[in-house]
Amino acid sequence: MASNLTLQVYQAFQAHLDKNKFKYDAHDEDLVISLTINGDDLPIKTIIRVIDERSIAQILCYCSNIPEDKRIDVAAAVAVANYGIVNGSFDYDISDGELRFRVTHNFSDGVPSDEVIRYLLAISFSTTDKYNDRFFMLGKGMMTLEQFIQAENK
C-alpha cells in the first residue's frame, strides 16, 4: 500500500494534467499515468510513475527502438546528447534498442508544487522533442553519427 504522500504526489500530477487539459490514462493501482503528446515532428509517448519505496516521481518519454545495425552509432549519439543536458538524461538499452528520456524528482520533502510539475513536464517534452527526430533519422540511416554530432555542436 502506497503512503499518503505518494498518493498525494500522484494526484498532484493528475491535477496538473487536468488543469492543462491533457488527455491521459491513469493506472491507479500502479500509480502510473500514460499519455501521448504531439511533438514538432513525432508523437511523444510518455509515462509518469510515482514510486513509493524510493519517494520519486519519474517521467519517461519514449523516443524509438533502434535497429540492431545502428545501435552502436546511437549509443555514441546518446553519450553526445547526455553530455550537454542539464536536467534528465537519455536511457538506452543497447540489447533491444529502446531509447527514452528520463527525469526523476525526489518528493521525500513533500508534494511538488504545480510549478515544479510544469517544469518537469516541460523539460521532458522539450528535450525529447529536440532529439527524437535526430535519433530516429540516425536509426534509419537518414543521418550519420557525424551529422548528429555537428547538429549538437551548433
Side-chain angles (χ1 to χ4, degrees), residues 105-128:
H105 177 76
N106 180 288
F107 59 80
S108 58
D109 287 338
V111 177
S113 68
D114 192 62
E115 189 61 24
V116 168
I117 291 171
R118 184 204 61 75
Y119 172 75
L120 295 170
L121 290 169
I123 284 175
S124 300
F125 297 151
S126 64
T127 304
T128 302

mmCIF file with all atom_site columns, all heavy atoms in Angstrom, residues 105-128:
data_model
loop_
_atom_site.group_PDB
_atom_site.id
_atom_site.type_symbol
_atom_site.label_atom_id
_atom_site.label_alt_id
_atom_site.label_comp_id
_atom_site.label_asym_id
_atom_site.label_entity_id
_atom_site.label_seq_id
_atom_site.pdbx_PDB_ins_code
_atom_site.Cartn_x
_atom_site.Cartn_y
_atom_site.Cartn_z
_atom_site.occupancy
_atom_site.B_iso_or_equiv
_atom_site.pdbx_formal_charge
_atom_site.auth_seq_id
_atom_site.auth_comp_id
_atom_site.auth_asym_id
_atom_site.auth_atom_id
_atom_site.pdbx_PDB_model_num
ATOM 1   N N   . HIS A 1 105 ? 12.311 13.041 -9.956  1.00 0.00 ? 105 HIS A N   1
ATOM 2   C CA  . HIS A 1 105 ? 12.170 14.053 -8.907  1.00 0.00 ? 105 HIS A CA  1
ATOM 3   C C   . HIS A 1 105 ? 11.930 13.351 -7.573  1.00 0.00 ? 105 HIS A C   1
ATOM 4   O O   . HIS A 1 105 ? 11.002 12.553 -7.447  1.00 0.00 ? 105 HIS A O   1
ATOM 5   C CB  . HIS A 1 105 ? 10.998 14.988 -9.222  1.00 0.00 ? 105 HIS A CB  1
ATOM 6   C CG  . HIS A 1 105 ? 10.737 16.000 -8.161  1.00 0.00 ? 105 HIS A CG  1
ATOM 7   N ND1 . HIS A 1 105 ? 11.521 17.109 -7.991  1.00 0.00 ? 105 HIS A ND1 1
ATOM 8   C CD2 . HIS A 1 105 ? 9.796  16.055 -7.186  1.00 0.00 ? 105 HIS A CD2 1
ATOM 9   C CE1 . HIS A 1 105 ? 11.062 17.824 -6.968  1.00 0.00 ? 105 HIS A CE1 1
ATOM 10  N NE2 . HIS A 1 105 ? 10.028 17.196 -6.465  1.00 0.00 ? 105 HIS A NE2 1
ATOM 11  N N   . ASN A 1 106 ? 12.753 13.647 -6.585  1.00 0.00 ? 106 ASN A N   1
ATOM 12  C CA  . ASN A 1 106 ? 12.575 13.102 -5.245  1.00 0.00 ? 106 ASN A CA  1
ATOM 13  C C   . ASN A 1 106 ? 11.544 13.952 -4.495  1.00 0.00 ? 106 ASN A C   1
ATOM 14  O O   . ASN A 1 106 ? 11.671 15.168 -4.436  1.00 0.00 ? 106 ASN A O   1
ATOM 15  C CB  . ASN A 1 106 ? 13.909 13.108 -4.498  1.00 0.00 ? 106 ASN A CB  1
ATOM 16  C CG  . ASN A 1 106 ? 13.779 12.547 -3.113  1.00 0.00 ? 106 ASN A CG  1
ATOM 17  O OD1 . ASN A 1 106 ? 13.206 13.168 -2.234  1.00 0.00 ? 106 ASN A OD1 1
ATOM 18  N ND2 . ASN A 1 106 ? 14.300 11.351 -2.917  1.00 0.00 ? 106 ASN A ND2 1
ATOM 19  N N   . PHE A 1 107 ? 10.539 13.298 -3.921  1.00 0.00 ? 107 PHE A N   1
ATOM 20  C CA  . PHE A 1 107 ? 9.492  14.037 -3.209  1.00 0.00 ? 107 PHE A CA  1
ATOM 21  C C   . PHE A 1 107 ? 9.479  13.744 -1.699  1.00 0.00 ? 107 PHE A C   1
ATOM 22  O O   . PHE A 1 107 ? 8.471  13.965 -1.035  1.00 0.00 ? 107 PHE A O   1
ATOM 23  C CB  . PHE A 1 107 ? 8.115  13.772 -3.827  1.00 0.00 ? 107 PHE A CB  1
ATOM 24  C CG  . PHE A 1 107 ? 7.676  12.327 -3.830  1.00 0.00 ? 107 PHE A CG  1
ATOM 25  C CD1 . PHE A 1 107 ? 7.138  11.739 -2.694  1.00 0.00 ? 107 PHE A CD1 1
ATOM 26  C CD2 . PHE A 1 107 ? 7.790  11.573 -4.982  1.00 0.00 ? 107 PHE A CD2 1
ATOM 27  C CE1 . PHE A 1 107 ? 6.723  10.414 -2.697  1.00 0.00 ? 107 PHE A CE1 1
ATOM 28  C CE2 . PHE A 1 107 ? 7.370  10.242 -4.998  1.00 0.00 ? 107 PHE A CE2 1
ATOM 29  C CZ  . PHE A 1 107 ? 6.835  9.671  -3.854  1.00 0.00 ? 107 PHE A CZ  1
ATOM 30  N N   . SER A 1 108 ? 10.601 13.298 -1.165  1.00 0.00 ? 108 SER A N   1
ATOM 31  C CA  . SER A 1 108 ? 10.628 12.964 0.266   1.00 0.00 ? 108 SER A CA  1
ATOM 32  C C   . SER A 1 108 ? 10.365 14.174 1.153   1.00 0.00 ? 108 SER A C   1
ATOM 33  O O   . SER A 1 108 ? 9.923  14.017 2.305   1.00 0.00 ? 108 SER A O   1
ATOM 34  C CB  . SER A 1 108 ? 11.952 12.303 0.645   1.00 0.00 ? 108 SER A CB  1
ATOM 35  O OG  . SER A 1 108 ? 13.043 13.127 0.335   1.00 0.00 ? 108 SER A OG  1
ATOM 36  N N   . ASP A 1 109 ? 10.584 15.374 0.641   1.00 0.00 ? 109 ASP A N   1
ATOM 37  C CA  . ASP A 1 109 ? 10.321 16.588 1.422   1.00 0.00 ? 109 ASP A CA  1
ATOM 38  C C   . ASP A 1 109 ? 8.904  17.121 1.245   1.00 0.00 ? 109 ASP A C   1
ATOM 39  O O   . ASP A 1 109 ? 8.549  18.128 1.846   1.00 0.00 ? 109 ASP A O   1
ATOM 40  C CB  . ASP A 1 109 ? 11.316 17.695 1.050   1.00 0.00 ? 109 ASP A CB  1
ATOM 41  C CG  . ASP A 1 109 ? 12.710 17.427 1.584   1.00 0.00 ? 109 ASP A CG  1
ATOM 42  O OD1 . ASP A 1 109 ? 12.842 16.649 2.554   1.00 0.00 ? 109 ASP A OD1 1
ATOM 43  O OD2 . ASP A 1 109 ? 13.672 17.982 1.029   1.00 0.00 ? 109 ASP A OD2 1
ATOM 44  N N   . GLY A 1 110 ? 8.114  16.481 0.395   1.00 0.00 ? 110 GLY A N   1
ATOM 45  C CA  . GLY A 1 110 ? 6.726  16.919 0.232   1.00 0.00 ? 110 GLY A CA  1
ATOM 46  C C   . GLY A 1 110 ? 6.273  16.868 -1.221  1.00 0.00 ? 110 GLY A C   1
ATOM 47  O O   . GLY A 1 110 ? 7.050  16.562 -2.134  1.00 0.00 ? 110 GLY A O   1
ATOM 48  N N   . VAL A 1 111 ? 5.019  17.189 -1.407  1.00 0.00 ? 111 VAL A N   1
ATOM 49  C CA  . VAL A 1 111 ? 4.396  17.165 -2.728  1.00 0.00 ? 111 VAL A CA  1
ATOM 50  C C   . VAL A 1 111 ? 4.981  18.295 -3.574  1.00 0.00 ? 111 VAL A C   1
ATOM 51  O O   . VAL A 1 111 ? 5.046  19.441 -3.121  1.00 0.00 ? 111 VAL A O   1
ATOM 52  C CB  . VAL A 1 111 ? 2.862  17.335 -2.600  1.00 0.00 ? 111 VAL A CB  1
ATOM 53  C CG1 . VAL A 1 111 ? 2.197  17.384 -3.964  1.00 0.00 ? 111 VAL A CG1 1
ATOM 54  C CG2 . VAL A 1 111 ? 2.275  16.212 -1.750  1.00 0.00 ? 111 VAL A CG2 1
ATOM 55  N N   . PRO A 1 112 ? 5.421  17.992 -4.786  1.00 0.00 ? 112 PRO A N   1
ATOM 56  C CA  . PRO A 1 112 ? 5.944  19.062 -5.643  1.00 0.00 ? 112 PRO A CA  1
ATOM 57  C C   . PRO A 1 112 ? 4.841  20.046 -6.006  1.00 0.00 ? 112 PRO A C   1
ATOM 58  O O   . PRO A 1 112 ? 3.677  19.661 -6.188  1.00 0.00 ? 112 PRO A O   1
ATOM 59  C CB  . PRO A 1 112 ? 6.463  18.322 -6.885  1.00 0.00 ? 112 PRO A CB  1
ATOM 60  C CG  . PRO A 1 112 ? 5.769  17.008 -6.879  1.00 0.00 ? 112 PRO A CG  1
ATOM 61  C CD  . PRO A 1 112 ? 5.446  16.695 -5.457  1.00 0.00 ? 112 PRO A CD  1
ATOM 62  N N   . SER A 1 113 ? 5.214  21.304 -6.101  1.00 0.00 ? 113 SER A N   1
ATOM 63  C CA  . SER A 1 113 ? 4.242  22.335 -6.464  1.00 0.00 ? 113 SER A CA  1
ATOM 64  C C   . SER A 1 113 ? 3.817  22.158 -7.926  1.00 0.00 ? 113 SER A C   1
ATOM 65  O O   . SER A 1 113 ? 4.476  21.460 -8.701  1.00 0.00 ? 113 SER A O   1
ATOM 66  C CB  . SER A 1 113 ? 4.859  23.724 -6.279  1.00 0.00 ? 113 SER A CB  1
ATOM 67  O OG  . SER A 1 113 ? 5.897  23.923 -7.235  1.00 0.00 ? 113 SER A OG  1
ATOM 68  N N   . ASP A 1 114 ? 2.749  22.813 -8.283  1.00 0.00 ? 114 ASP A N   1
ATOM 69  C CA  . ASP A 1 114 ? 2.282  22.782 -9.660  1.00 0.00 ? 114 ASP A CA  1
ATOM 70  C C   . ASP A 1 114 ? 3.351  23.333 -10.599 1.00 0.00 ? 114 ASP A C   1
ATOM 71  O O   . ASP A 1 114 ? 3.543  22.823 -11.702 1.00 0.00 ? 114 ASP A O   1
ATOM 72  C CB  . ASP A 1 114 ? 0.980  23.583 -9.800  1.00 0.00 ? 114 ASP A CB  1
ATOM 73  C CG  . ASP A 1 114 ? 0.307  23.339 -11.126 1.00 0.00 ? 114 ASP A CG  1
ATOM 74  O OD1 . ASP A 1 114 ? -0.073 22.182 -11.406 1.00 0.00 ? 114 ASP A OD1 1
ATOM 75  O OD2 . ASP A 1 114 ? 0.165  24.309 -11.898 1.00 0.00 ? 114 ASP A OD2 1
ATOM 76  N N   . GLU A 1 115 ? 4.095  24.323 -10.145 1.00 0.00 ? 115 GLU A N   1
ATOM 77  C CA  . GLU A 1 115 ? 5.168  24.905 -10.951 1.00 0.00 ? 115 GLU A CA  1
ATOM 78  C C   . GLU A 1 115 ? 6.306  23.902 -11.175 1.00 0.00 ? 115 GLU A C   1
ATOM 79  O O   . GLU A 1 115 ? 6.877  23.829 -12.260 1.00 0.00 ? 115 GLU A O   1
ATOM 80  C CB  . GLU A 1 115 ? 5.698  26.178 -10.289 1.00 0.00 ? 115 GLU A CB  1
ATOM 81  C CG  . GLU A 1 115 ? 6.652  26.979 -11.132 1.00 0.00 ? 115 GLU A CG  1
ATOM 82  C CD  . GLU A 1 115 ? 6.058  27.499 -12.441 1.00 0.00 ? 115 GLU A CD  1
ATOM 83  O OE1 . GLU A 1 115 ? 4.834  27.660 -12.551 1.00 0.00 ? 115 GLU A OE1 1
ATOM 84  O OE2 . GLU A 1 115 ? 6.842  27.725 -13.383 1.00 0.00 ? 115 GLU A OE2 1
ATOM 85  N N   . VAL A 1 116 ? 6.641  23.132 -10.164 1.00 0.00 ? 116 VAL A N   1
ATOM 86  C CA  . VAL A 1 116 ? 7.675  22.102 -10.310 1.00 0.00 ? 116 VAL A CA  1
ATOM 87  C C   . VAL A 1 116 ? 7.209  21.026 -11.290 1.00 0.00 ? 116 VAL A C   1
ATOM 88  O O   . VAL A 1 116 ? 7.966  20.600 -12.165 1.00 0.00 ? 116 VAL A O   1
ATOM 89  C CB  . VAL A 1 116 ? 8.057  21.495 -8.940  1.00 0.00 ? 116 VAL A CB  1
ATOM 90  C CG1 . VAL A 1 116 ? 8.892  20.241 -9.103  1.00 0.00 ? 116 VAL A CG1 1
ATOM 91  C CG2 . VAL A 1 116 ? 8.809  22.516 -8.097  1.00 0.00 ? 116 VAL A CG2 1
ATOM 92  N N   . ILE A 1 117 ? 5.970  20.618 -11.181 1.00 0.00 ? 117 ILE A N   1
ATOM 93  C CA  . ILE A 1 117 ? 5.433  19.615 -12.107 1.00 0.00 ? 117 ILE A CA  1
ATOM 94  C C   . ILE A 1 117 ? 5.450  20.159 -13.535 1.00 0.00 ? 117 ILE A C   1
ATOM 95  O O   . ILE A 1 117 ? 5.839  19.450 -14.469 1.00 0.00 ? 117 ILE A O   1
ATOM 96  C CB  . ILE A 1 117 ? 4.022  19.173 -11.674 1.00 0.00 ? 117 ILE A CB  1
ATOM 97  C CG1 . ILE A 1 117 ? 4.121  18.377 -10.371 1.00 0.00 ? 117 ILE A CG1 1
ATOM 98  C CG2 . ILE A 1 117 ? 3.335  18.364 -12.770 1.00 0.00 ? 117 ILE A CG2 1
ATOM 99  C CD1 . ILE A 1 117 ? 2.788  18.061 -9.719  1.00 0.00 ? 117 ILE A CD1 1
ATOM 100 N N   . ARG A 1 118 ? 5.061  21.412 -13.704 1.00 0.00 ? 118 ARG A N   1
ATOM 101 C CA  . ARG A 1 118 ? 5.094  22.036 -15.036 1.00 0.00 ? 118 ARG A CA  1
ATOM 102 C C   . ARG A 1 118 ? 6.513  22.016 -15.590 1.00 0.00 ? 118 ARG A C   1
ATOM 103 O O   . ARG A 1 118 ? 6.746  21.677 -16.747 1.00 0.00 ? 118 ARG A O   1
ATOM 104 C CB  . ARG A 1 118 ? 4.577  23.481 -14.989 1.00 0.00 ? 118 ARG A CB  1
ATOM 105 C CG  . ARG A 1 118 ? 4.515  24.138 -16.380 1.00 0.00 ? 118 ARG A CG  1
ATOM 106 C CD  . ARG A 1 118 ? 4.573  25.658 -16.325 1.00 0.00 ? 118 ARG A CD  1
ATOM 107 N NE  . ARG A 1 118 ? 5.794  26.170 -15.736 1.00 0.00 ? 118 ARG A NE  1
ATOM 108 C CZ  . ARG A 1 118 ? 6.991  26.194 -16.332 1.00 0.00 ? 118 ARG A CZ  1
ATOM 109 N NH1 . ARG A 1 118 ? 7.149  25.708 -17.526 1.00 0.00 ? 118 ARG A NH1 1
ATOM 110 N NH2 . ARG A 1 118 ? 8.038  26.689 -15.708 1.00 0.00 ? 118 ARG A NH2 1
ATOM 111 N N   . TYR A 1 119 ? 7.478  22.354 -14.757 1.00 0.00 ? 119 TYR A N   1
ATOM 112 C CA  . TYR A 1 119 ? 8.880  22.371 -15.161 1.00 0.00 ? 119 TYR A CA  1
ATOM 113 C C   . TYR A 1 119 ? 9.362  20.974 -15.567 1.00 0.00 ? 119 TYR A C   1
ATOM 114 O O   . TYR A 1 119 ? 10.014 20.808 -16.596 1.00 0.00 ? 119 TYR A O   1
ATOM 115 C CB  . TYR A 1 119 ? 9.723  22.917 -14.004 1.00 0.00 ? 119 TYR A CB  1
ATOM 116 C CG  . TYR A 1 119 ? 11.208 22.809 -14.207 1.00 0.00 ? 119 TYR A CG  1
ATOM 117 C CD1 . TYR A 1 119 ? 11.877 23.674 -15.074 1.00 0.00 ? 119 TYR A CD1 1
ATOM 118 C CD2 . TYR A 1 119 ? 11.959 21.852 -13.527 1.00 0.00 ? 119 TYR A CD2 1
ATOM 119 C CE1 . TYR A 1 119 ? 13.247 23.573 -15.261 1.00 0.00 ? 119 TYR A CE1 1
ATOM 120 C CE2 . TYR A 1 119 ? 13.326 21.750 -13.711 1.00 0.00 ? 119 TYR A CE2 1
ATOM 121 C CZ  . TYR A 1 119 ? 13.965 22.609 -14.578 1.00 0.00 ? 119 TYR A CZ  1
ATOM 122 O OH  . TYR A 1 119 ? 15.321 22.507 -14.767 1.00 0.00 ? 119 TYR A OH  1
ATOM 123 N N   . LEU A 1 120 ? 9.059  19.970 -14.762 1.00 0.00 ? 120 LEU A N   1
ATOM 124 C CA  . LEU A 1 120 ? 9.478  18.602 -15.064 1.00 0.00 ? 120 LEU A CA  1
ATOM 125 C C   . LEU A 1 120 ? 8.893  18.120 -16.389 1.00 0.00 ? 120 LEU A C   1
ATOM 126 O O   . LEU A 1 120 ? 9.588  17.501 -17.208 1.00 0.00 ? 120 LEU A O   1
ATOM 127 C CB  . LEU A 1 120 ? 9.072  17.651 -13.934 1.00 0.00 ? 120 LEU A CB  1
ATOM 128 C CG  . LEU A 1 120 ? 9.747  17.877 -12.584 1.00 0.00 ? 120 LEU A CG  1
ATOM 129 C CD1 . LEU A 1 120 ? 9.063  17.034 -11.502 1.00 0.00 ? 120 LEU A CD1 1
ATOM 130 C CD2 . LEU A 1 120 ? 11.236 17.587 -12.656 1.00 0.00 ? 120 LEU A CD2 1
ATOM 131 N N   . LEU A 1 121 ? 7.623  18.402 -16.609 1.00 0.00 ? 121 LEU A N   1
ATOM 132 C CA  . LEU A 1 121 ? 6.985  18.012 -17.869 1.00 0.00 ? 121 LEU A CA  1
ATOM 133 C C   . LEU A 1 121 ? 7.571  18.798 -19.038 1.00 0.00 ? 121 LEU A C   1
ATOM 134 O O   . LEU A 1 121 ? 7.832  18.231 -20.107 1.00 0.00 ? 121 LEU A O   1
ATOM 135 C CB  . LEU A 1 121 ? 5.470  18.210 -17.791 1.00 0.00 ? 121 LEU A CB  1
ATOM 136 C CG  . LEU A 1 121 ? 4.728  17.233 -16.880 1.00 0.00 ? 121 LEU A CG  1
ATOM 137 C CD1 . LEU A 1 121 ? 3.295  17.686 -16.670 1.00 0.00 ? 121 LEU A CD1 1
ATOM 138 C CD2 . LEU A 1 121 ? 4.784  15.817 -17.445 1.00 0.00 ? 121 LEU A CD2 1
ATOM 139 N N   . ALA A 1 122 ? 7.794  20.084 -18.849 1.00 0.00 ? 122 ALA A N   1
ATOM 140 C CA  . ALA A 1 122 ? 8.347  20.920 -19.925 1.00 0.00 ? 122 ALA A CA  1
ATOM 141 C C   . ALA A 1 122 ? 9.733  20.438 -20.337 1.00 0.00 ? 122 ALA A C   1
ATOM 142 O O   . ALA A 1 122 ? 10.043 20.343 -21.532 1.00 0.00 ? 122 ALA A O   1
ATOM 143 C CB  . ALA A 1 122 ? 8.391  22.389 -19.492 1.00 0.00 ? 122 ALA A CB  1
ATOM 144 N N   . ILE A 1 123 ? 10.573 20.123 -19.359 1.00 0.00 ? 123 ILE A N   1
ATOM 145 C CA  . ILE A 1 123 ? 11.913 19.594 -19.659 1.00 0.00 ? 123 ILE A CA  1
ATOM 146 C C   . ILE A 1 123 ? 11.796 18.286 -20.434 1.00 0.00 ? 123 ILE A C   1
ATOM 147 O O   . ILE A 1 123 ? 12.485 18.076 -21.429 1.00 0.00 ? 123 ILE A O   1
ATOM 148 C CB  . ILE A 1 123 ? 12.713 19.343 -18.363 1.00 0.00 ? 123 ILE A CB  1
ATOM 149 C CG1 . ILE A 1 123 ? 13.210 20.638 -17.788 1.00 0.00 ? 123 ILE A CG1 1
ATOM 150 C CG2 . ILE A 1 123 ? 13.885 18.411 -18.611 1.00 0.00 ? 123 ILE A CG2 1
ATOM 151 C CD1 . ILE A 1 123 ? 13.903 20.453 -16.461 1.00 0.00 ? 123 ILE A CD1 1
ATOM 152 N N   . SER A 1 124 ? 10.935 17.417 -19.955 1.00 0.00 ? 124 SER A N   1
ATOM 153 C CA  . SER A 1 124 ? 10.772 16.108 -20.592 1.00 0.00 ? 124 SER A CA  1
ATOM 154 C C   . SER A 1 124 ? 10.310 16.243 -22.031 1.00 0.00 ? 124 SER A C   1
ATOM 155 O O   . SER A 1 124 ? 10.894 15.643 -22.949 1.00 0.00 ? 124 SER A O   1
ATOM 156 C CB  . SER A 1 124 ? 9.774  15.265 -19.802 1.00 0.00 ? 124 SER A CB  1
ATOM 157 O OG  . SER A 1 124 ? 10.230 15.066 -18.486 1.00 0.00 ? 124 SER A OG  1
ATOM 158 N N   . PHE A 1 125 ? 9.278  17.026 -22.252 1.00 0.00 ? 125 PHE A N   1
ATOM 159 C CA  . PHE A 1 125 ? 8.716  17.154 -23.601 1.00 0.00 ? 125 PHE A CA  1
ATOM 160 C C   . PHE A 1 125 ? 9.659  17.906 -24.536 1.00 0.00 ? 125 PHE A C   1
ATOM 161 O O   . PHE A 1 125 ? 9.873  17.495 -25.674 1.00 0.00 ? 125 PHE A O   1
ATOM 162 C CB  . PHE A 1 125 ? 7.354  17.854 -23.562 1.00 0.00 ? 125 PHE A CB  1
ATOM 163 C CG  . PHE A 1 125 ? 6.297  17.104 -22.802 1.00 0.00 ? 125 PHE A CG  1
ATOM 164 C CD1 . PHE A 1 125 ? 5.273  17.791 -22.180 1.00 0.00 ? 125 PHE A CD1 1
ATOM 165 C CD2 . PHE A 1 125 ? 6.317  15.717 -22.687 1.00 0.00 ? 125 PHE A CD2 1
ATOM 166 C CE1 . PHE A 1 125 ? 4.283  17.117 -21.476 1.00 0.00 ? 125 PHE A CE1 1
ATOM 167 C CE2 . PHE A 1 125 ? 5.333  15.028 -21.984 1.00 0.00 ? 125 PHE A CE2 1
ATOM 168 C CZ  . PHE A 1 125 ? 4.307  15.737 -21.372 1.00 0.00 ? 125 PHE A CZ  1
ATOM 169 N N   . SER A 1 126 ? 10.249 18.998 -24.063 1.00 0.00 ? 126 SER A N   1
ATOM 170 C CA  . SER A 1 126 ? 11.088 19.795 -24.962 1.00 0.00 ? 126 SER A CA  1
ATOM 171 C C   . SER A 1 126 ? 12.390 19.071 -25.311 1.00 0.00 ? 126 SER A C   1
ATOM 172 O O   . SER A 1 126 ? 12.839 19.121 -26.466 1.00 0.00 ? 126 SER A O   1
ATOM 173 C CB  . SER A 1 126 ? 11.380 21.177 -24.365 1.00 0.00 ? 126 SER A CB  1
ATOM 174 O OG  . SER A 1 126 ? 12.139 21.069 -23.186 1.00 0.00 ? 126 SER A OG  1
ATOM 175 N N   . THR A 1 127 ? 12.997 18.397 -24.344 1.00 0.00 ? 127 THR A N   1
ATOM 176 C CA  . THR A 1 127 ? 14.238 17.682 -24.635 1.00 0.00 ? 127 THR A CA  1
ATOM 177 C C   . THR A 1 127 ? 13.972 16.506 -25.569 1.00 0.00 ? 127 THR A C   1
ATOM 178 O O   . THR A 1 127 ? 14.714 16.292 -26.532 1.00 0.00 ? 127 THR A O   1
ATOM 179 C CB  . THR A 1 127 ? 14.913 17.191 -23.343 1.00 0.00 ? 127 THR A CB  1
ATOM 180 O OG1 . THR A 1 127 ? 15.122 18.314 -22.479 1.00 0.00 ? 127 THR A OG1 1
ATOM 181 C CG2 . THR A 1 127 ? 16.248 16.524 -23.635 1.00 0.00 ? 127 THR A CG2 1
ATOM 182 N N   . THR A 1 128 ? 12.912 15.760 -25.296 1.00 0.00 ? 128 THR A N   1
ATOM 183 C CA  . THR A 1 128 ? 12.569 14.638 -26.172 1.00 0.00 ? 128 THR A CA  1
ATOM 184 C C   . THR A 1 128 ? 12.272 15.140 -27.580 1.00 0.00 ? 128 THR A C   1
ATOM 185 O O   . THR A 1 128 ? 12.749 14.567 -28.564 1.00 0.00 ? 128 THR A O   1
ATOM 186 C CB  . THR A 1 128 ? 11.364 13.856 -25.612 1.00 0.00 ? 128 THR A CB  1
ATOM 187 O OG1 . THR A 1 128 ? 11.685 13.400 -24.299 1.00 0.00 ? 128 THR A OG1 1
ATOM 188 C CG2 . THR A 1 128 ? 11.020 12.671 -26.497 1.00 0.00 ? 128 THR A CG2 1
#
